[in-house]
Amino acid sequence: MKRTISLLGSTGSIGRQTLEVVRQLKLPVAALAARNNVDLLERQAREFHPELAVLYEMDAALELARRLSDLPVRVAYGMEGLLEAAAMDAADTVVVAVVGMVGLRPTLAAVGKGKRVALANKETLVCGGELVMERARRCGAEIVPMDSEHSAIFQCLQGCADRGEVSRLWLTCSGGPFYGRSFSELEHVKREEALRHPNWTMGAKITVDCATLMNKGLEVLEAMRLFDLPLEQVSVVIHRQSMIHSLVQFRDGALLAQMGTADMRLPIRYALTYPRRAQAEEPALDLLRCPALTFAPPDLKAFPCLSLAMEAARTGGTACTVLNGANEAAVGCFLAGEIGFNDIPRRVERALNSIEVKWNPDLTDILEADQHARRVGQGM
Ligand code: MG
């Protein structure tokens, strides 16, 4: 079955790689959406001919509409535009590859329409995981992860009909550029150093999250929601080579791993073709050229963001939203050169300690907790 795609976040790193896969598989595109990159969205619209093109920022959308006036493409803007792209009848598969909380409402909209949601946006599951998964069950929507670790687990779980047979999920973690350093050694690291990831090429925010290990913390929360398992059954292991993308341990002792090169096109392709597998263009991992594979426990003292995420998981309610919102804002401040590297966990901790937790949150509670946490993350 050829899926028709609506792609939210088409100009970012995952979005551009998704379009490479879409081009290779010759999938029809119903909608493309991005924040404000007029030039790239115009080029993408001319190549993929969506019926809807969305730019979140209104001025950028007006400029795009002017430039695309020779094409039969409708241009929309803002959250309304994103929601329309997420729920439109023409698409059966919605790829959510936007960065941050802005992905939550469109994901809920797509899930509500019973679509397949190929999810690359962590914040959606971290903050609104219970809402999204509950609505997906009710509306018969499939959520297929695009995050490499969760895709690996999803692949290892194929054929497993009883979640009770799973004893543990192992999320692998490269350790990031600062592996082996102590907390005090990290105090004065520079933005440029944090942006140098050893194995993967990604956007700036997620690359900093990989350096603090907050990315792995968010992935633990994401895995708990996606696979409906408690914190006690989700573990992190440092695996510097990024060749095993994650593992599932079963109660009979079997440990299944998914291996491959560090290339996002594999999990992207699988999310678009699942349960089938399509021919890849990029070369597969060559086992005979593999370095030795190593495994080590994470250093929670040097990288407190990971333990803060686990603390938020234990607390539950809006704590995960607070963790995520404070982190997103603090990383923004770090990227702007306003605060040091270790101030990121300090601000997240302050937000977790100062903001009251709400239990069984609805969408309004989540959005409020997010706004509040952002202010603390910004140092206000
Ligand atoms: Mg990942």
Side-chain angles (χ1 to χ4, degrees), residues 278-300:
Q279 181 63 47
E281 284 180 328
E282 66 277 8
L285 179 66
D286 182 350
L287 275 182
L288 299 182
R289 285 165 187 251
C290 251
L293 303 181
T294 59
F295 305 95
D299 180 350
L300 298 178

Side-chain angles (χ1 to χ4, degrees), residues 109-165:
V111 164
K113 287 275 186 162
K115 297 186 188 296
R116 171 178 295 184
V117 176
L119 197 56
N121 171 282
K122 298 187 187 357
E123 293 83 355
T124 293
L125 285 178
V126 168
C127 305
E130 278 116 341
L131 287 182
V132 171
M133 298 310 286
E134 191 272 322
R135 191 177 293 189
R137 271 188 291 274
R138 202 155 31 84
C139 301
E142 280 177 316
I143 310 239
V144 184
M146 266 190 181
D147 203 347
S148 61
E149 293 79 358
H150 304 79
S151 173
I153 290 168
F154 187 79
Q155 293 177 57
C156 292
L157 285 174
Q158 294 308 307
C160 168
D162 176 5
R163 210 40 63 83
E165 294 175 357

